[in-house]
Amino acid sequence: MVKQGAQARWRVRCGAMALAALLVPATPRAEDTPRAAMPRLDLFDGRFTLAPAGRLDLDAGSFAGQEVRPGFQSNVAVRRAEVGVRGQILPGLDYVVLWEFAPRAPGGQPDGGQLYEAQLAWSGLDWMTARAGVFTPLHTLEVSGGSFSQLFMERASIIEIATSLASGSSRLAAGVELRGETWFASAYATGGVTTTADDGQQRGVAGRAVVQPFAGWLRVALGANAALQTEPGTRGDASVRLRDYPELRISPNRFLDTRSIAAGQAWAAGPELSGMVGPLHLAAEAQAIGVDADAGGARRFGGWYGAASWPLLGAPRRWDPRLGAWTRPGGALLDPAAGEWGWLELAGRYSRADLNDGPTRGGIQSIWTLAFNWYPEDRIRVTMQAEAGRITGNGPDRPFQAVGWRVSLAP
């Protein structure tokens, strides 16, 4: 009881601190009623700027229909509590520094936080951005769109697993992003992540390329991505472990799990297909994952997802050439007197991840998800989603159902 009380008090304090940092008036938009601008420090005739930055995600979830115990746990959690600053050092040279105060795992105790992002980005040319530091490489379609604009509370498990090898959040990396109106390419050299303990020797590369051959009422984007981990960087003997939550980070349990595989190298690669058919957004990715195990032969895993979304209020999703991904349109505004109710979207997804091969029995997970995303304005997101899933192939079958809620705030 004392432990639970301490966790609850910390969540309240963390939420209050993040709300104070985030609930500042947004930068005025032409289509909105004028409002005060985001506080910002300008020095040297505006060549150096500094502004508050952050993110707060408050999650709640409940699991049902579980036939095996122990199972997934229902919970309320602080998914993200990022506080920091952003701005430019010189025109074209931007910086971001964010500290993450949320626990490292669902239900975990706060430990003072860790560095989440610290990057420099040079965009002196319209067609290129060079980045270095700690950041999230634009490696797959779901990752490139950004977590605040993604269709669901969490990315598909197969994408989380593939990006855990050499990209993902809080990755020490350096790379370049090239773009045009109908194409995008990225390449990065990467190290470890600041939110997971390692020996500092993890090494890898990751990249992505996508092109739009069609435009108009039918827009199609075709692409591929890949990642290679050349040094696992684990403390002790080199090993690779692939695992994920059930596409909700509410319970600390992860039953989709290969356990540690003694190996010196691993890779992931796959195609992606996305686009718009009128206002209907469609997206799909597949990943093949290989682990060069020291014993028992190489392991081959895989999975895929398919997703669709439809705008119920507001304009459809749009292509962002700076990200090479489809994002929500801006301009959401809640003003009932004027008939404005923000932006609302209905989304659905099926995902499958297969981590069984040879002596490794990590499990096969399949999940159906339905979600509503509501943005009463551009910096506030409310998501409600429902899941029906099953994990098989690594013990007794584990069917489950879940509902999840998230309130997100971002400047």
Side-chain angles (χ1 to χ4, degrees):
M1 292 296 292
V2 173
K3 180 179 178 181
Q4 291 177 347
Q7 286 182 310
R9 289 193 297 273
W10 176 83
R11 288 170 182 149
V12 171
R13 289 197 299 269
C14 185
M17 291 171 57
L19 280 169
L22 294 171
L23 288 181
V24 293
T27 303
R29 299 186 300 265
E31 66 271 30
D32 287 0
T33 302
R35 60 185 74 174
M38 174 79 70
R40 191 179 79 173
L41 174 66
D42 287 46
L43 298 175
F44 309 113
D45 296 325
R47 289 191 293 273
F48 176 88
T49 66
L50 182 147
R55 172 82 174 273
L56 175 64
D57 286 4
L58 303 177
D59 286 7
S62 179
F63 287 90
Q66 302 184 86
E67 301 173 356
V68 181
R69 302 295 179 185
F72 298 116
Q73 302 172 14
S74 302
N75 199 5
V76 176
V78 178
R79 174 67 172 89
R80 294 180 178 88
E82 302 160 8
V83 178
V85 295
R86 68 173 67 244
Q88 70 173 29
I89 298 175
L90 293 169
L93 182 60
D94 298 330
Y95 68 91
V96 180
V97 179
L98 291 172
W99 195 261
E100 176 64 83
F101 289 95
R104 295 173 186 260
Q109 288 285 350
D111 56 5
Q114 57 273 334
L115 182 67
Y116 179 79
E117 184 172 344
Q119 66 159 307
L120 289 174
W122 180 76
S123 302
L125 301 173
D126 291 341
W127 51 271
M128 183 184 76
T129 297
R131 301 183 190 275
V134 177
F135 60 97
T136 304
L138 305 183
H139 164 211
T140 71
L141 175 63
E142 264 199 314
V143 170
S144 297
S147 60
F148 196 69
S149 289
Q150 68 190 23
L151 297 176
F152 305 92
M153 291 173 63
E154 303 295 341
R155 302 178 186 108
S157 286
I158 191 61
I159 300 302
E160 290 288 348
I161 292 168
T163 57
S164 70
L165 296 178
S167 61
S169 302
S170 303
R171 181 70 64 174
L172 180 64
V176 63
E177 297 148 15
L178 309 176
R179 57 185 169 266
E181 285 300 316
T182 59
W183 62 275
F184 177 89
S186 62
Y188 309 92
T190 67
V193 294
T194 58
T195 54
T196 301
D198 60 69
D199 65 3
Q201 300 301 311
Q202 188 176 96
R203 298 292 182 269
V205 293
R208 174 177 179 246
V210 60
V211 63
Q212 283 193 67
F214 306 110
W217 73 272
L218 172 63
R219 302 186 65 183
V220 176
L222 301 171
N225 54 74
L228 172 65
Q229 184 185 91
T230 58
E231 294 287 345
T234 49
R235 292 177 176 174
D237 295 336
S239 64
V240 173
R241 186 175 187 177
L242 307 177
R243 56 180 177 168
D244 193 40
Y245 301 96
E247 298 176 5
L248 278 176
R249 285 179 61 98
I250 297 296
S251 172
N253 297 330
R254 285 179 277 190
F255 298 113
L256 182 70
D257 188 350
T258 64
R259 308 297 178 181
S260 293
I261 303 171
Q265 184 171 287
W267 56 267
E272 61 182 65
L273 173 65
S274 64
M276 304 291 300
V277 182
L280 176 65
H281 171 57
L282 301 169
E285 290 184 88
Q287 290 287 328
I289 300 173
V291 178
D292 295 338
D294 294 341
R299 310 291 196 277
R300 296 294 180 262
F301 310 115
W304 63 278
Y305 77 86
S309 70
W310 183 274
L312 302 177
L313 292 174
R317 286 184 170 259
R318 61 181 178 82
W319 177 259
D320 188 336
R322 298 186 66 84
L323 302 175
W326 307 92
T327 62
R328 61 187 175 84
L333 177 65
L334 180 62
D335 186 357
E340 297 285 349
W341 295 93
W343 189 74
L344 178 65
E345 174 184 52
L346 171 65
R349 179 176 68 193
Y350 174 78
S351 69
R352 178 182 171 87
D354 185 345
L355 299 186
N356 282 355
D357 188 42
T360 300
R361 316 308 291 173
I364 302 171
Q365 176 183 279
S366 58
I367 299 178
W368 291 93
T369 306
L370 184 70
F372 288 93
N373 299 310
W374 180 47
Y375 294 80
E377 72 116 89
D378 282 346
R379 59 202 170 100
I380 302 174
R381 168 178 171 160
V382 180
T383 295
M384 180 181 71
Q385 74 177 45
E387 294 184 358
R390 182 179 294 270
I391 300 174
T392 62
N394 60 349
D397 286 2
R398 291 183 177 273
F400 63 90
Q401 295 86 49
V403 291
W405 299 266
R406 171 174 292 171
V407 177
S408 299
L409 306 172

